[in-house]
């Protein structure tokens, strides 16, 4: 999701809970996303959470994204693990399969967009080359 230049995504996130669960070796983050009801996808939410909490190199798993009835507010629950093997041990495998399916779908969409852009660029270049500029003949007196 692309936001306008003056609209920072930091202003739409409100942290409800941020708990370190030492028993399960994970961090549990609960956040509200204001104004994104029905528009927020799980992978976009993971990107926003990763940037907001500086979680580069960690495994962030969206457990639940719930849209509030009658409001444009989305409440998200995320688990942050240091190790992907431990995450796969604790989390239901269907959640990982859904995330992989969403990542594959995004990759296909990006590849299709790149192919379309590549197909348009050579077409524009060949159009300009096919039309040669008419030769200007000088008057001889």
């Amino acid at each position: 999701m692309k936001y306008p230049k003056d609209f920072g995504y930091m202003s739409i996130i409100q942290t409800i809970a941020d708990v370190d669960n030492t028993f399960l070796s994970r961090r549990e983050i609960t956040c509200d996303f204001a104004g994104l009801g029905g528009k927020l996808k799980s992978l976009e939410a993971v990107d926003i959470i990763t940037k907001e909490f500086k979680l580069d190199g960690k495994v962030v798993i969206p457990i639940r994204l719930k849209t509030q009835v009658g409001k444009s507010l989305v409440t998200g629950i995320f688990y942050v693990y240091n190790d992907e093997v431990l995450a796969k041990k604790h989390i239901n495998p269907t959640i990982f399969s859904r995330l992989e399916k969403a990542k594959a779908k995004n990759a296909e969409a990006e590849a299709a967009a790149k192919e379309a852009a590549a197909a348009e660029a050579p077409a524009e270049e060949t159009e300009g080359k096919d039309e040669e500029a008419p030769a200007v003949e000088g008057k001889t007196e």
Side-chain angles (χ1 to χ4, degrees):
M1 177 179 288
K2 295 183 180 173
Y3 301 104
K5 199 173 199 180
D6 59 343
F7 182 76
Y9 67 87
M10 302 293 183
S11 63
I12 62 170
I13 297 176
Q14 180 183 5
T15 304
I16 303 299
D18 190 356
V19 179
D20 283 327
N21 188 335
T22 55
F23 180 70
L24 294 174
S25 302
R26 70 182 177 206
R27 183 175 172 188
E28 300 172 357
I29 300 172
T30 304
C31 294
D32 281 343
F33 297 91
L36 294 177
K39 301 174 190 168
L40 185 65
K41 296 179 181 166
S42 60
L43 291 179
E44 293 171 350
V46 167
D47 289 340
I48 292 172
I49 291 295
T50 302
K51 290 175 185 172
E52 172 76 17
F53 293 100
K54 298 175 181 74
L55 299 172
D56 294 329
K58 299 190 181 203
V59 180
V60 180
I61 302 166
I63 299 299
R64 183 175 190 193
L65 290 176
K66 181 180 180 185
T67 304
Q68 303 296 325
V69 177
K71 299 180 183 178
S72 62
L73 182 71
V74 178
T75 302
I77 300 172
F78 303 90
Y79 292 166
V80 181
Y81 287 92
N82 291 330
D83 186 20
E84 188 173 357
V85 174
L86 185 63
K88 288 189 177 186
K89 193 175 184 183
H90 288 177
I91 305 293
N92 191 343
T94 57
I95 292 175
F96 282 103
S97 65
R98 289 178 187 157
L99 286 174
E100 293 299 322
K101 188 187 290 186
K103 287 179 184 177
K105 188 175 180 180
N106 283 349
E108 287 177 10
E110 288 177 9
K114 286 181 182 178
E115 287 178 11
E120 289 178 9
E124 290 174 1
E125 290 175 7
T126 56
E127 287 176 7
K129 291 180 182 177
D130 290 342
E131 298 174 8
E132 294 181 17
V136 177
E137 296 179 19
K139 291 184 180 180
T140 53
E141 293 180 16

